């Protein structure tokens, strides 16, 4: 949220908060307050990042993980969009679907991993399915909520202007819900990363989740931190891209705090 | 005798009892009304007497409990482009420019793009919004938004224009400007209009005929012809005919609110 202080100073604030965390990290590790095995120093983490970047493995892991997140999340969004919209608009449809969704969304995804391995083996599809299961049910409910909160007046106006049922969806409901949907997408893509790590920790031979788990066995905390930092950075970049995209797709939208 | 455009016969509306309300609520009772072609009819009535309920039923946004609504002798149910509505909250589509908002109904009817633009341009000029074609609703003032809403409905060429307190949210000066604009539009385009307000000045200024409603359950209490010669603008607000009429309606509404107080 940008206050009257303007762009530069809010950017500066963000930078300061980052610097404080790094400074604390430096003091705790270089000062010898923490055991190197539990908390590696910035230098150690930096070196392991450089090493993995040097042999190219870092980029492979990042690319593979990002690809899994994107594909799993993409299918979840594609499926959740129409179902969530219909749920918001049709009482009957909602009565049929809602209980299933509500039930399914309380199943911890981790508990479903054995089943997915049984059904699908440990290939890429299994990773996509885990991410799909982790995000789909939540996203359906979020889409439903977003669509339900569209102003009734707008729909009334459209139908008295002669819009038929299909046109109501394509010309009014979808565009009116779009700003909210972009937010929903941004949230769930974050969760997709969580489920990716779940998928990669259990059965994978590459990916950021995999190197984190593997490093635990060798007490290579510097590599664990390197992996965590990469996940955080990719998340940050994705979030940033989606925010920019939102500004481009729905320039008409007025947001509190803008 | 002019053709009858809108005919409402024996309309009743009951909101049934539910969890929050113990008893059925009679909102409208024995409503009979007619609007002739090119006529400007205004309904006034105390707050809560069912004016919005009535106009929403006519517009097809709500169902009547009993009775019928006919356009050109044909019974209608559900919303349709033949009954254009303008609401108090402008309900523009915020993602569309002024011009695209005005084209909306035509687009739904699959009118070709070039023709849509031409028609929209006509109505943009009619409501005095030239130069704002490409503005977004968030860049407009309340009065300008309501101009867009009116143009959007007019461009669709409905059989009748239904307006529910369209100027209720505007400040006093803008209101007068919009009233005069609407009077001019109705004179020029010969549209049939049913207009709701609780502002008596507005009612007399605009109407050919005024229906005065009673308190809830809303019934038609009186029908009055407005015979004020000459152009309708704010200057007539002080003519003797105007003041006599205003006094009569005020007395009726005053009595309604006193009776309402006694009911309780
Ligand atoms: N959906 C609804 N369910 C139950 N009661 C309703 C509903 N809509 C309106 N009412 C009731 O019907 C009555 C008439 O409401 P309506 O909105 O038509 O009044 P109105 O004449 O337009 O009032 P105002 O001048 O304040 O706009 C009110 O008592 C209101 O509480
Ligand atoms: Mg009302």
């Amino acid at each position: 949220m940008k206050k009257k202080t303007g762009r530069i100073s809010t950017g500066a604030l963000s930078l300061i908060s980052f610097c404080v965390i790094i400074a604390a990290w430096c003091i705790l590790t270089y000062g010898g307050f923490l055991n190197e095995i539990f908390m590696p120093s910035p230098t150690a983490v930096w070196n392991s990042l450089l090493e993995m970047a040097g042999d190219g493995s870092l980029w492979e892991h990042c690319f593979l993980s990002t690809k899994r997140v994107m594909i799993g999340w993409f299918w979840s969004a594609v499926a959740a969009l129409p179902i969530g919209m219909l749920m918001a608009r049709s009482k009957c449809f909602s009565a049929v679907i809602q209980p299933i969704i509500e039930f399914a969304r309380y199943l911890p995804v981790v508990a479903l991993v054995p089943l997915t391995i049984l059904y699908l083996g440990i290939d890429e599809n299994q990773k996509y399915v885990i991410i799909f299961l982790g995000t789909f049910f939540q996203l359906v409910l979020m889409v439903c909520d977003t669509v339900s909160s569209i102003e009734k007046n707008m729909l009334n106006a459209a139908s008295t202007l002669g819009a038929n049922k299909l046109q109501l969806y394509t010309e009014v409901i979808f565009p009116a819900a779009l700003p909210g949907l972009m937010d929903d997408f941004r949230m769930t893509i974050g969760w997709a990363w969580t489920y990716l790590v779940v998928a990669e920790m259990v059965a994978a031979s590459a990916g950021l989740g995999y190197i984190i788990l593997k490093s635990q066995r060798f007490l290579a905390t510097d590599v664990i931190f390197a992996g965590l930092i990469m996940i955080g950075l990719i998340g940050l970049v994705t979030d940033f891209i989606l925010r920019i995209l939102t500004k481009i797709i729905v320039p008409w939208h007025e947001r509190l705090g803008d | 005798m002019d053709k009858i455009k809108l005919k409402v016969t024996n309309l009743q509306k009951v909101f049934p009892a539910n969890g929050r309300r113990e008893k059925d609520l009679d909102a409208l009772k024995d409503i009979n009304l007619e609007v002739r072609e090119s006529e400007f009819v205004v309904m006034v009535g105390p707050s809560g007497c069912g004016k919005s309920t009535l106009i929403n039923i006519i517009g097809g946004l709500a169902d009547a409990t009993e009775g019928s609504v006919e356009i050109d002798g044909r019974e209608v149910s559900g919303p349709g482009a033949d009954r254009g509505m303008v609401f108090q909250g402008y309900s523009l589509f915020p993602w569309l420019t002024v011009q695209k908002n005005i084209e909306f109904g035509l687009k739904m009817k699959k009118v070709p793009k070039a023709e849509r633009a031409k028609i929209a341009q006509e109505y943009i000029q009619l409501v005095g919004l030239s130069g704002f074609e490409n503005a977004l609703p968030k860049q407009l003032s309340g009065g300008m938004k309501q101009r867009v809403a009116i143009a959007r409905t007019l461009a669709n060429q409905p059989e009748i224009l239904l307006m529910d307190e369209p100027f209720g949210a505007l400040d006093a000066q803008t209101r007068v400007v919009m009233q005069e604009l609407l009077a001019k539009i109705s004179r020029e385009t010969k549209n049939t209009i049913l207009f709701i307000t609780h502002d008596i000045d507005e009612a007399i200024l605009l109407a050919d005929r005024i229906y005065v409603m009673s308190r809830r359950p809303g019934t038609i209490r009186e029908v009055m012809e407005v015979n004020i010669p000459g152009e309708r603008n704010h200057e007539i607000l002080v003519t003797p005919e105007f003041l006599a009429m205003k006094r009569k309606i005020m007395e009726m509404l005053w009595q309604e609110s006193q009776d309402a107080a006694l009911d309780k």
Side-chain angles (χ1 to χ4, degrees), chain A residues 119-229:
Chain A
Y119 295 155
L120 299 160
I122 55 165
D123 65 356
E124 289 301 289
N125 286 333
Q126 185 257 343
K127 314 288 178 298
Y128 304 151
V129 167
I130 288 292
I131 293 167
F132 181 92
L133 290 174
T135 51
F136 172 73
F137 301 104
Q138 304 284 348
L139 191 53
V140 167
L141 293 178
M142 288 167 90
V143 169
C144 175
D145 224 42
T146 302
V147 171
S148 309
S149 60
I150 296 176
E151 260 185 75
K152 186 100 203 299
N153 266 340
M154 226 145 40
L155 297 173
N156 284 343
S159 49
T160 57
L161 286 166
N164 63 32
K165 266 208 156 137
L166 181 67
Q167 286 171 327
L168 271 189
Y169 277 98
T170 57
E171 304 286 332
V172 184
I173 296 174
F174 181 70
L178 203 50
L181 291 176
M182 291 301 288
D183 285 343
D184 297 344
F185 289 160
R186 213 154 45 79
M187 299 279 291
T188 43
I189 220 168
W191 302 340
W193 274 97
T194 313
Y195 296 115
L196 166 91
V197 175
V198 168
E200 287 183 344
M201 279 184 157
V202 178
S205 51
L208 291 169
Y210 162 78
I211 57 168
I212 288 175
L213 190 77
K214 196 185 68 174
S215 311
Q216 183 211 336
R217 279 185 233 143
F218 307 109
L219 289 179
T221 34
D222 50 342
V223 181
I224 295 186
F225 270 80
L228 290 176
I229 287 175

